[in-house]
C-alpha cells in the first residue's frame, strides 16, 4: 500500500494549502536570503559600518533560529495557527519599523524583532510540511517556490533601489500577505488517524524514530556549516585563485538560482519515484567532490561551472534532508525545528569558512568541507532509511501491522 494511504494521517496538497505552507515558509526564511541587500541598505542609508550591519543581521538570523527551535514543539502540537499569526505579525511590525523609521535604535530593535517573528513562521511552515502527503514531492515544490520567490524579490529590490524601504519593507509586506493565508494551513493529524498506529505498533518503535530525529537535527546543523562556509568565501576565493571579477560572480549567482529551480522542480515532479536515500547519497557524494574541487581550480570558467554545479547539488540534498524530517513524523515534530537548526549552523559558517581559508588556504578548506560531508553522509543515509520505513509502517493497515507484530 502506498504511503499516501489515509492511515498516515497526512492530507493531499491543494492550491490553498500550497499557498499557505510554502508562502509562510518562504517569508520565514527570506531574511537569510536577503542578508546581502539588507547589509547594503543598512550601510548605505543609515551609515552602519560593514561590521555593525553584519553583526545586526547575524543577530537577526540567530533570533530567527532560536525562535524556531523554541516554538517548534508548539507548532507541531495545537498551537500551529497561533505561532504562525504571532510570528508573521512580529515579522511585519519589526521589519516595517526598520524600513520606515530612520532611527538607529528603532532599526536595531525592529530587525531583531523581525528575526524573532520569522522564526515562528519557519517552525510553522516546517510543521505543516509534515502534514502533507508525499514528503519528497512537497519538499521539492517548497524548494522550488522558495527559489522562485526569492529570485523575483532579488530582481525587484535592485529595480526599486536597495534601500531600507525596499529591502525591509518588501519583506514586511510579504509577511502581511502571508498572514491572510494562515487559516489554510493543514492541521496536525487528528488523534483518530494516529490511534490505529499507536495501538498496532510496538511502543519501542518510537525510540529509534526519536533518536533518528535528534540525529537528523544535529547532522543538518553541521551540514549547513559545511555548505555555507563555502558560500561565505565563494566570492573572495573566486577572485583570489581564479581571478573572477564581479561580472563573473553575478553570473554565478543568477545561474545558481536557475540550477536550484531546476533541481527542486525535478524533485517536485518526480515525488517518491526517485526514492529518497539513493538520490540523497548521490547528492552528498557529488557535493563533497565539488567542494574539494572548488578549492583547487584556477580557471575562472571552470570555477564558475563548479560553483554552479555545487549550488544545484546542494538544493537536491537540502530538499531530501527536509523531506526526511517531514517523513519521520506527520505532526511536524522534526520538520518544525529542522530549518532552525540549519540557521544555527549557517550562522557560524562565515567565521568558520574565513578562519580555515585564511589559516590553511582554500584547498585545505575544500578538503575539510568535503570530509565533513562524507562523514555526515553515513548517519544521514541511515536516518533516511528509517524515515522510509516509518512512512511505510504508518501507511500499512492496522491489521497488517498486528500480524507482523504477532509473527
Amino acid at each position: 500500500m502506498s504511503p499516501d494511504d489515509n492511515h498516515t494521517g497526512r492530507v493531499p496538497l491543494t492550491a490553498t494549502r500550497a499557498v499557505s505552507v510554502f508562502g509562510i515558509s518562504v517569508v520565514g526564511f527570506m531574511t537569510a536570503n536577503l542578508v546581502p541587500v539588507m547589509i547594503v541598505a543598512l550601510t548605505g542609508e543609515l551609515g552602519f559600518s560593514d561590521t555593525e550591519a553584519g553583526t545586526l543581521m547575524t543577530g537577526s538570523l540567530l533570533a530567527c533560529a532560536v525562535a524556531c527551535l523554541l516554538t517548534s514543539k508548539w507548532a507541531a502540537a495545537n498551537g500551529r495557527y497561533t505561532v504562525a499569526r504571532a510570528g508573521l505579525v512580529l515579522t511585519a511590525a519589526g521589519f516595517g519599523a526598520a524600513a520606515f523609521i530612520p532611527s538607529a535604535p528603532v532599526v536595531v530593535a525592529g530587525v531583531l524583532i523581525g528575526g524573532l517573528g520569522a522564526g515562528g513562521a519557519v517552525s510553522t511552515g516546517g510543521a505543516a510540511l509534515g502534514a502533507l502527503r508525499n514528503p519528497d514531492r512537497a519538499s521539492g515544490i517548497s524548494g522550488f517556490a522558495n527559489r522562485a520567490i526569492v529570485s523575483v524579490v532579488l530582481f525587484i529590490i535592485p529595480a526599486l533601489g536597495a534601500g531600507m524601504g525596499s529591502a525591509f519593507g518588501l519583506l514586511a509586506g510579504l509577511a502581511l500577505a502571508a498572514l491572510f493565508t494562515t487559516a489554510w494551513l493543514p492541521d496536525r493529524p487528528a488523534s483518530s488517524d494516529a490511534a490505529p498506529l499507536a495501538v498496532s505498533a510496538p511502543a519501542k518503535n518510537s525510540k529509534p524514530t526519536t533518536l533518528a530525529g535528534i540525529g537528523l537535527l544535529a547532522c543538518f546543523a553541521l551540514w549547513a556549516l559545511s555548505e555555507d562556509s563555502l558560500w561565505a568565501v565563494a566570492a573572495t576565493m573566486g577572485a583570489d585563485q581564479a581571478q573572477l571579477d564581479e561580472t563573473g560572480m553575478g553570473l554565478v549567482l543568477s545561474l545558481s538560482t536557475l540550477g536550484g529551480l531546476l533541481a527542486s522542480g525535478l524533485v517536485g515532479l518526480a515525488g517518491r519515484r526517485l526514492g529518497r536515500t539513493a538520490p540523497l547519497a548521490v547528492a552528498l557524494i557529488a557535493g563533497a567532490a565539488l567542494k574539494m574541487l572548488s578549492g583547487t581550480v584556477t580557471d575562472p570558467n571552470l570555477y564558475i561551472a563548479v560553483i554552479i554545479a555545487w549550488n544545484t547539488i546542494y538544493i537536491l540534498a537540502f530538499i531530501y534532508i527536509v523531506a526526511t524530517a517531514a517523513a519521520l513524523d506527520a505532526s511536524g515534530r522534526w520538520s518544525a525545528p529542522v530549518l532552525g537548526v540549519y540557521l544555527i549552523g549557517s550562522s557560524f559558517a562565515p567565521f568558520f569558512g574565513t578562519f580555515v581559508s585564511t589559516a590553511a588556504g582554500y584547498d585545505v578548506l575544500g578538503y575539510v568541507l568535503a570530509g565533513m560531508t562524507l562523514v555526515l553522509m553515513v548517519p544521514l543515509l541511515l536516518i533516511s532509511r528509517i524515515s522510509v520505513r516509518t512512512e511505510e509502517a504508518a501507511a500499512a493497515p492496522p491489521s497488517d501491522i498486528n500480524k507482523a507484530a504477532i509473527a
Side-chain angles (χ1 to χ4, degrees), residues 208-370:
T209 304
T210 299
L211 291 175
I214 294 172
L216 179 68
L217 297 182
C219 289
F220 200 37
L222 292 172
W223 183 77
L225 176 65
S226 74
E227 296 295 313
D228 286 356
S229 291
L230 177 55
W231 185 245
V233 302
T236 55
M237 182 164 63
D240 292 343
Q241 76 178 25
Q243 292 75 53
L244 191 67
D245 57 16
E246 292 183 2
T247 302
M249 201 60 206
L251 184 64
V252 168
L253 288 171
S254 58
L255 292 182
S256 293
T257 299
L258 178 61
L261 283 171
L262 292 174
S264 54
L266 173 65
V267 178
L269 289 173
R272 60 169 53 90
R273 286 195 294 272
L274 296 175
R276 182 178 304 142
T277 306
L280 178 58
V282 171
L284 291 173
I285 292 172
L290 289 166
K291 287 177 189 174
M292 186 167 55
L293 189 60
S294 69
T296 60
V297 294
T298 57
D299 179 77
N301 292 325
L302 181 56
Y303 181 80
I304 289 174
V306 168
I307 295 299
I308 291 170
W310 163 69
N311 262 282
T312 304
I313 292 297
Y314 152 81
I315 288 296
L316 281 175
F318 183 96
I319 288 171
Y320 280 112
I321 294 173
V322 172
T324 299
L328 282 172
D329 195 307
S331 72
R333 180 184 181 189
W334 305 112
S335 57
V338 73
L339 293 181
V341 300
Y342 180 92
L343 286 175
I344 292 290
S346 179
S347 298
F348 294 97
F351 169 78
F352 185 78
T354 54
F355 175 78
V356 175
S357 61
T358 301
Y362 294 120
D363 54 343
V364 173
L365 176 66
Y367 290 125
V368 168
L369 299 182

Side-chain angles (χ1 to χ4, degrees), residues 92-198:
F95 289 131
F100 302 112
I101 302 177
S103 166
V106 172
V107 168
V108 170
V111 171
L112 294 177
I113 291 171
L116 284 172
V122 169
S123 67
T124 302
L129 189 66
L132 299 175
R133 294 179 186 173
N134 198 332
D136 303 300
R137 172 170 292 157
S139 297
I141 298 174
S142 178
F144 183 86
N146 185 295
R147 285 279 164 150
I149 295 173
V150 168
S151 298
V152 172
V153 171
L154 288 175
F155 175 80
I156 291 175
I157 289 177
L160 296 176
M164 298 296 291
S166 58
F168 293 96
L170 190 56
L171 180 50
L174 288 173
L176 281 178
L179 183 62
F180 292 99
T181 72
T182 54
W184 298 338
L185 282 170
D187 205 347
R188 65 178 304 198
S191 57
S192 58
D193 294 324
L197 181 61

